[in-house]
Amino acid sequence: MIDPDTIARAAKLLHDHRDSIDRLDAILVFTLAERFKHTQAVGVLKAQHDLPPSDPAREEQQIARLQDLALQADLDPEFATKFLNFVIQEVIQHHKQHQT
């Protein structure tokens, strides 16, 4: 039989971890919103100056930069790359909308 105090401590730890996760999820959402505000402005600027919606050289630099940051943060660089590629594709789609 598991000690009730042990169960209570585990439940408290679980609650604390979940609270932290919820705060971090909020930070991620608001950070992504801020990022997309800037990329929307870039899309408008590109459309106004007849620039292509994607910049493969910049994307490559950003992926390398994010992989380095992921290593520093002890995050799987492959996951970070997949995440950034997803964000980049969304941004390009938004930029294409400004081109029309």
Side-chain angles (χ1 to χ4, degrees):
M1 179 173 183
I2 299 178
D3 175 36
D5 288 340
T6 302
I7 293 171
R9 281 192 301 273
K12 171 74 168 107
L13 285 171
L14 181 62
H15 180 269
D16 291 348
H17 283 301
R18 287 179 173 165
D19 280 350
S20 292
I21 289 166
D22 292 348
R23 282 191 302 276
L24 291 165
D25 285 346
I27 290 168
L28 286 170
V29 168
F30 280 93
T31 301
L32 282 171
E34 183 69 18
R35 188 185 194 287
F36 276 102
K37 287 175 191 171
H38 288 284
T39 60
Q40 288 287 357
V42 167
V44 169
L45 186 63
K46 284 181 173 185
Q48 290 171 342
H49 296 281
D50 201 27
L51 297 170
S54 68
D55 182 347
R58 164 103 173 129
E59 293 159 21
E60 193 174 302
Q61 290 172 341
Q62 286 299 93
I63 289 170
R65 181 177 158 270
L66 194 72
Q67 287 175 334
D68 184 51
L69 289 171
L71 289 171
Q72 292 175 43
D74 197 27
L75 179 69
D76 178 6
E78 282 300 312
F79 170 77
T81 300
K82 289 177 187 176
F83 176 76
L84 186 59
N85 280 326
F86 172 76
V87 170
I88 288 170
Q89 291 310 307
E90 286 295 309
V91 168
I92 290 170
Q93 292 298 40
H94 291 174
H95 288 185
K96 286 179 179 177
Q97 291 171 358
H98 292 293
Q99 298 286 324
T100 57

